[in-house]
Amino acid sequence: AITLANKHKGVKSAADFKFVLKTRVRGIDAIYQRKFEGSEASFEVESKVPAQTIADDIVRIGGYQVMKTTPNTIDIMILDKK
C-alpha cells in the first residue's frame, strides 16, 4: 500500500484528485481516503507499481507538484490554476 498526502483547496479538490488517480494513473487497483483535515487529505492506494511510477504519472498529468516520495509515500500539492 502507498500513502498519498494531498495538500488541496477543499473537498472538491480532494474528490477531483481521487478521480484523476482512478482514471489517469496506471497500476492503481483501489483508493481509500484515510484522512481529511484542514487543507490536507490522505489516501491509501493499492497498486501493482512502485510509488515513484505513480509520482511520475501524476507529474505528467499536470496541475500537481510532487513534494516528496519514499518507497511507500508520496506528498503532493495541487498547483494553483492560472
Side-chain angles (χ1 to χ4, degrees):
I2 297 168
T3 302
L4 288 153
N6 175 13
K7 293 185 184 346
H8 58 84
K9 308 232 182 304
V11 176
K12 184 176 183 329
S13 292
D16 289 347
F17 180 69
K18 190 173 175 181
F19 178 77
V20 166
L21 288 176
K22 284 182 179 180
T23 60
R24 301 192 54 198
V25 177
R26 301 169 287 156
I28 291 180
D29 297 323
I31 303 170
Y32 309 100
Q33 187 166 335
R34 296 296 185 210
K35 180 177 105 175
F36 184 86
E37 183 177 330
S39 66
E40 189 170 310
S42 292
F43 301 92
E44 184 175 329
V45 176
E46 290 181 15
S47 175
K48 297 177 181 131
V49 299
Q52 186 61 53
T53 301
I54 293 171
D56 292 344
D57 279 357
I58 290 168
V59 169
R60 276 189 213 104
I61 291 166
Y64 303 96
Q65 181 176 358
V66 174
M67 305 302 289
K68 178 177 109 176
T69 62
T70 70
N72 296 317
T73 63
I74 305 169
D75 289 341
I76 297 161
M77 183 169 48
I78 295 175
L79 300 174
D80 289 328
K81 294 179 182 177
K82 297 186 180 190

